[in-house]
Amino acid sequence: MSDALQEIHDFLPCRTPAAWIENALANQDLLLIDHAHCEKKAASTALSLMYRYVDNTNLLNKMSRLAREELRHFEQVLAIMVKRGVAYTHLTPSRYAAGLRAPVRKDDPGRLVDVLIVGAIIEARSCERFAALAPFLDEKLADFYNSLLKSEARHYQDYLKLAEQANGGPVDERVAEFMAIEQPLIETPDSEFRFHSGPVID
């Protein structure tokens, strides 16, 4: 296991349940569709931060690079879907992102700190799921997911460092509050399968 992946496992409160991996393998078309949506949303989040915090040069540079990478990943997922005959369709969002964002503070600098922490957690979870899924996928999809690990790990680190910068110091206590929300979103049964859903129990 790479050092970056080990760091992400140490950061997250739990591993992806085996039942979710079974769900993903049984719903690979849906997995790809929602993965594409996730990449597009990640780019949108980065761009919205760039528009809102125009005086934060470090954030502007990091989010500009992140948005480009996420859009490139979006294009790569779409290309895989085209080759596999999977149509890109609208999906209802999972409970995950909304659940994580519920406690985000309304006013800055707290709002920025919280949004960046949520970004770090989502990127870390995505990285953990790519790594968990890859051993069970066909060679081409496994190679693609493994290729995403490095950038997703860097995105998590970028978000966390920016959160510490915005906070003027460590954010461990606030991260712990969000992790207490993230863990049940990952471990408890969900109503529909999504890339960031909990396991769907038949």
Side-chain angles (χ1 to χ4, degrees), residues 8 10 22 24 32 36 40 44 52-53 64 69 94 103 123-124 135 140 146 154 162 167 169 176 192:
I8 279 169
D10 293 342
E22 292 172 13
L32 287 168
K40 192 167 64 172
S44 176
R52 189 176 178 107
Y53 301 102
S64 177
E69 289 186 335
S94 72
E123 294 289 340
K140 287 195 174 176
N146 279 322
R154 188 179 65 255
L162 287 168
N167 196 49
E192 54 188 3

Side-chain angles (χ1 to χ4, degrees), residues 73 76 130 140-152:
H73 297 162
Q76 290 174 306
F130 290 140
K140 287 195 174 176
L141 197 52
D143 285 348
F144 174 54
Y145 277 12
N146 279 322
S147 76
L148 296 178
L149 294 178
K150 192 173 180 181
S151 58
E152 299 298 321

Side-chain angles (χ1 to χ4, degrees), residues 168-200:
V171 291
D172 297 358
E173 288 185 12
R174 193 65 180 151
V175 167
E177 292 176 34
F178 280 95
M179 289 303 191
I181 295 166
E182 204 257 0
Q183 185 164 356
L185 290 171
I186 290 299
E187 291 187 329
T188 61
D190 219 326
S191 58
E192 54 188 3
F193 173 78
R194 293 289 185 269
F195 186 80
H196 289 107
S197 70
V200 179

Side-chain angles (χ1 to χ4, degrees), residues 3 30 42 54 56 81 102 125 128 139 158 165 182 185:
D3 290 344
L30 188 54
V54 295
N56 188 329
M81 289 166 61
R125 179 59 66 187
E128 187 264 348
E139 187 177 354
D158 285 346
Q165 178 191 330
E182 204 257 0
L185 290 171

Side-chain angles (χ1 to χ4, degrees), residues 109-138:
R111 181 187 183 277
L112 176 58
V113 172
D114 289 354
V115 169
L116 292 167
I117 288 171
V118 169
I121 293 170
I122 293 173
E123 294 289 340
R125 179 59 66 187
S126 298
C127 186
E128 187 264 348
R129 291 215 147 162
F130 290 140
L133 275 172
F136 304 101
L137 298 170
D138 63 81

